[in-house]
Amino acid sequence: MRTRTWAVMAAAAALAGLTACSGPGSADTEERLHGETDRASYSSAEGVSGAADIAVTGPVLGVRTRECDEGGDTATEPAVDPPAEDGVDPGPDPSATGSPAPTATPSGIAGDGAGGPECVPMVFLKVRVAAVVKPGFGISGGDEIVVGDIDTDKVTAEGTTPLVVGRRYALYLRRMTAPDHPGITSVPTFWIPVGGDQGVFFLNKDTVRPASADIVALTNAEAEKKLGAASGTSRPERLRTTVAGLREAAKVAAAGQRASAHRAAKQRRPSHTPGPPGRP
């Protein structure tokens, strides 16, 4: 796992896991907000699976609410858009509802209104779990969860791919509860993608592709091999796989975590120093 600096706007510390920053702006202008933070970077599905609390597949059903979080300084990094071939879902979910207007809070929904100078827009989306890739917290198929994401209708952010209503994704997520996000009041518990768009995968008809070009392999070993073979400034092609492949990568990550926990437990055990040998 590498760490790099990239621009991002998030629920301040929530999405980034660190301190994010914002510039001035409000819902009354067309200004875009920018920010910068250090965030872990992954190169494989195994890597993001190991960092996630759960991983699921399913469609985005609609917007639950919008709310603003605090920020800080400005930056000038551009937004990163998904590849053109990933822009349209070949099999959108028919039960999904359209997203409200970018500048309006959905009717009848609680939450902060237009943001002030230190207000960073966030959007909270309803996602129906179709299948579980990495189990956790009792989440199962058919459940509806809330995923927090940067509101890209109002915010420019590098390393962020907007979650589109009606589209299907595989999402690697971390759970956030009220103590984790003091700046968010309308949603007590929600989930955030691991590492920005590194935790977002597009589900197409026959393939699964990561939103981030950083994800080049299913396992850490495969990614290390591909990155080591890359010449000069070239980079391996981003991963193409299936949901079954993601499940296998999750199993590899879980096995690695169990092995690490076992080694750590052995190291914590007090060593036994034998006493002097007894007399015959």
Side-chain angles (χ1 to χ4, degrees):
M1 182 180 72
R2 297 169 289 115
T3 299
R4 66 179 184 182
T5 299
W6 57 356
V8 66
M9 291 305 304
L15 267 173
L18 298 164
T19 301
C21 305
S22 72
S26 74
D28 297 328
T29 72
E30 292 299 321
E31 294 181 19
R32 294 289 179 173
L33 307 181
H34 301 269
E36 184 175 280
T37 187
D38 287 334
R39 184 183 285 174
S41 181
Y42 307 94
S43 57
S44 71
E46 177 191 348
V48 289
S49 183
D53 291 326
I54 63 169
V56 301
T57 67
V60 178
L61 299 180
V63 175
R64 173 173 171 177
T65 189
R66 283 184 162 94
E67 186 172 350
C68 289
D69 198 12
E70 295 181 356
D73 298 329
T74 61
T76 57
E77 299 292 339
V80 173
D81 295 323
E85 64 186 271
D86 294 323
V88 179
D89 190 348
D93 190 273
S95 64
T97 59
S99 175
T103 58
T105 299
S107 176
I109 293 179
D112 292 347
E118 296 185 355
C119 186
V120 178
M122 292 290 299
V123 62
F124 296 90
L125 303 149
K126 296 178 292 184
V127 174
R128 186 176 61 226
V129 176
V132 175
V133 174
K134 176 182 179 177
F137 290 90
I139 300 297
S140 60
D143 289 348
E144 187 175 300
I145 61 174
V146 176
V147 175
D149 198 14
I150 300 168
D151 192 344
T152 52
D153 287 330
K154 303 176 184 178
V155 173
T156 294
E158 183 184 352
T160 300
T161 296
L163 300 180
V164 178
V165 172
R167 212 197 192 296
R168 297 170 300 156
Y169 298 91
L171 299 172
Y172 290 82
L173 304 167
R174 285 180 178 151
R175 186 171 182 258
M176 305 296 292
T177 59
D180 301 319
H181 55 83
I184 299 295
T185 59
S186 61
V187 186
T189 300
F190 59 91
W191 303 83
I192 58 171
V194 170
D197 63 358
Q198 295 173 101
V200 176
F201 288 63
F202 298 104
L203 266 61
N204 297 313
K205 185 176 180 180
D206 299 315
T207 61
V208 177
R209 293 196 72 202
S212 172
D214 289 343
I215 308 296
V216 299
L218 281 174
T219 67
N220 293 338
E222 293 169 356
E224 185 176 353
K225 183 177 180 180
K226 286 185 176 182
L227 291 170
S231 59
T233 58
S234 66
R235 197 174 167 80
E237 182 181 355
R238 78 179 67 196
L239 173 68
R240 287 179 181 269
T241 187
T242 62
V243 173
L246 296 183
R247 287 198 177 99
E248 289 303 313
K251 291 178 182 178
V252 173
Q257 288 177 324
R258 287 193 297 269
S260 295
H262 180 69
R263 288 192 297 269
K266 288 183 65 176
Q267 291 174 354
R268 287 194 299 267
R269 293 173 188 165
S271 58
H272 176 68
T273 302
R279 295 179 181 179

